[in-house]
Amino acid sequence: MEEKYKSAYRRMFKVDELIREGRCPSAAQIAEKLGVSKRTILRDLAYMETELSAPIVYDEEKNGYFYTNPRFALSDIVFTDDDLSVLLLSKRLLESLFSGTFYKTKVQETFQAILDHAGNSPQITGRTVRENIQVALSGSGDFSLAEKLLEAMDGRLCALGTKSDGTGILLRPIRLIYAWEAWHLLYITEGYHDNRDFKLEPLALFKKIIPQGKGAGEKIPDVIPNVEEWASPDCGRSSYVEKDKKNGDTLHILFPGRSDGFHLTYRRNADGTLSFIENFQSMMGGHVMEFLLDSLDGKAHPEIPAQDIGDDEKPDDENSPMLM
């Protein structure tokens, strides 16, 4: 018997994993893989069915076991009533936000999968949870443009955008942000030099978005490395809105990074447009890693201009590092 499967707890999770592979394993096959007796596995299967509500069924033709609910999985997660209330509120928020889009269905499926994987899933079924908080959002409206932008972002592609006034523009979408009950697009164009050149506009200003091929992407740099490469150990919030005494309604957009994450802020003007305020908590405008890598490769790197700062924000001496 393998040492790690002497524990019935660990062994049943492995049995669960083998059944979920969908190959209808027999008790003898499971026993052989785990290095235990067939009788032990039969006891485990009976316990899983009666005590853990596993939907196990024996298929006589295939001489093996399978789950009648393919989404079932053993879990040591147990949800309390408070947990369920929070999950339900989150589900309602997302369903309201993505009403009328394919994301609403995905939200419903994902939340159901979370509940299906709970250790007390059978007890959750049919439970009435008190809804102390309810939120009514205006919804995302027409999401077709957003879907095209997501397609481009997923493929690290540029897109050709046509604005309501007929103006065409080649852009690289960076993020879609829902703020002030409307979707906004953060993007850069061929004129990008540093992070002050990010553009943030309401998505409603565009009437058409067409993702472009890989060739078009060479015209605009891919300035945001993917999450797997630059994920921060403590990502925290990525975007949020606050009322700032100096700037009024302010949108903060954070790009966490291991070495040089950056933080953009925008002010909401009276006419609904957004004005760039500053990029702070960042060195070299969010490009320190590519600067260092280029230096190692012996490549020349254009000087990144310092951002204008107010008199009260100037460094103590001329040689002090400046945050942008």
Side-chain angles (χ1 to χ4, degrees):
M1 179 188 298
E2 290 191 37
E3 188 70 28
K4 62 181 177 180
Y5 294 125
K6 283 185 177 181
S7 163
Y9 177 81
R10 297 186 65 178
R11 190 172 60 246
M12 280 187 276
F13 271 91
K14 185 62 178 179
V15 172
D16 166 70
E17 179 184 322
L18 293 172
I19 293 176
R20 284 190 289 109
E21 289 179 355
R23 299 176 182 174
C24 254
S26 66
Q29 289 171 332
I30 297 173
E32 183 179 356
K33 280 184 176 291
L34 274 56
V36 297
S37 68
K38 178 180 177 182
R39 179 180 295 181
T40 297
I41 295 301
L42 289 173
R43 277 201 308 267
D44 289 344
L45 291 167
Y47 183 88
M48 289 168 63
E49 183 178 8
T50 57
E51 301 300 322
L52 303 180
S53 301
I56 299 173
V57 170
Y58 178 73
D59 189 320
E60 293 186 358
E61 290 186 5
K62 296 181 179 180
N63 189 31
Y65 296 88
F66 69 96
Y67 287 147
T68 55
N69 178 2
R71 303 179 79 168
F72 176 85
L74 287 186
S75 172
D76 55 1
I77 299 174
V78 176
F79 292 125
T80 65
D81 284 348
D82 286 342
D83 295 331
L84 291 173
S85 295
V86 171
L87 283 171
L88 184 60
L89 175 60
S90 303
K91 179 172 179 284
R92 295 279 189 267
L93 279 167
L94 292 172
E95 284 178 344
S96 180
L97 178 61
F98 293 111
S99 177
T101 75
F102 76 96
Y103 279 102
K104 180 176 180 179
T105 301
K106 296 304 295 181
V107 166
Q108 293 171 336
E109 291 176 351
T110 300
F111 272 87
Q112 189 56 52
I114 291 172
L115 295 178
D116 286 347
H117 282 68
N120 59 335
S121 178
Q123 290 76 33
I124 290 173
T125 306
R127 181 183 296 183
T128 300
V129 178
R130 181 179 297 171
E131 293 188 65
N132 293 322
I133 303 175
Q134 291 189 341
V135 178
L137 297 177
S138 59
S140 58
D142 183 1
F143 205 65
S144 57
L145 291 182
E147 290 175 0
K148 291 293 183 183
L149 289 166
L150 289 171
E151 178 185 335
M153 285 188 279
D154 287 344
R156 311 293 287 274
L157 303 172
C158 290
L160 183 63
T162 304
K163 293 192 173 183
S164 301
D165 61 2
T167 305
I169 180 173
L170 182 66
L171 58 89
R172 182 178 289 278
I174 304 299
R175 271 193 185 162
L176 278 170
I177 302 166
Y178 190 80
W180 298 297
E181 298 193 356
W183 286 102
H184 296 78
L185 173 63
L186 184 72
Y187 67 94
I188 59 174
T189 62
E190 293 180 70
Y192 173 83
H193 182 64
D194 63 39
N195 292 337
R196 287 169 290 181
D197 295 323
F198 276 87
K199 302 181 187 299
L200 183 67
E201 295 181 324
L203 189 55
L205 293 181
F206 293 85
K207 66 177 183 179
K208 194 173 185 180
I209 296 288
I210 303 175
Q212 301 296 292
K214 293 285 185 182
E218 298 177 1
K219 298 179 180 179
I220 307 177
D222 187 0
V223 299
I224 306 298
N226 62 39
V227 175
E228 288 77 19
E229 292 172 344
W230 287 53
S232 167
D234 181 19
C235 290
R237 293 184 290 182
S238 57
S239 296
Y240 62 96
V241 172
E242 71 174 3
K243 198 80 169 179
D244 184 274
K245 289 183 179 180
K246 181 180 178 181
N247 297 300
D249 285 342
T250 305
L251 173 63
H252 296 257
I253 307 173
L254 282 65
F255 290 83
R258 289 195 180 96
S259 302
D260 193 29
F262 53 96
H263 180 161
L264 308 177
T265 52
Y266 291 83
R267 175 178 55 251
R268 189 190 191 198
N269 304 315
D271 62 358
T273 59
L274 296 160
S275 298
F276 177 77
I277 302 174
E278 64 179 334
N279 167 31
F280 61 97
Q281 293 184 348
S282 172
M283 298 176 63
M284 297 183 180
H287 296 281
V288 68
M289 286 304 295
E290 64 184 68
F291 179 85
L292 292 173
L293 291 172
D294 286 350
S295 298
L296 290 173
D297 291 339
K299 296 178 182 178
H301 195 286
E303 180 182 354
I304 300 176
Q307 181 173 334
D308 295 335
I309 54 177
D311 293 337
D312 58 338
E313 297 173 322
K314 289 181 179 178
D316 293 334
D317 63 76
E318 294 180 357
N319 296 320
S320 298
M322 184 178 298
L323 295 181
M324 293 183 66

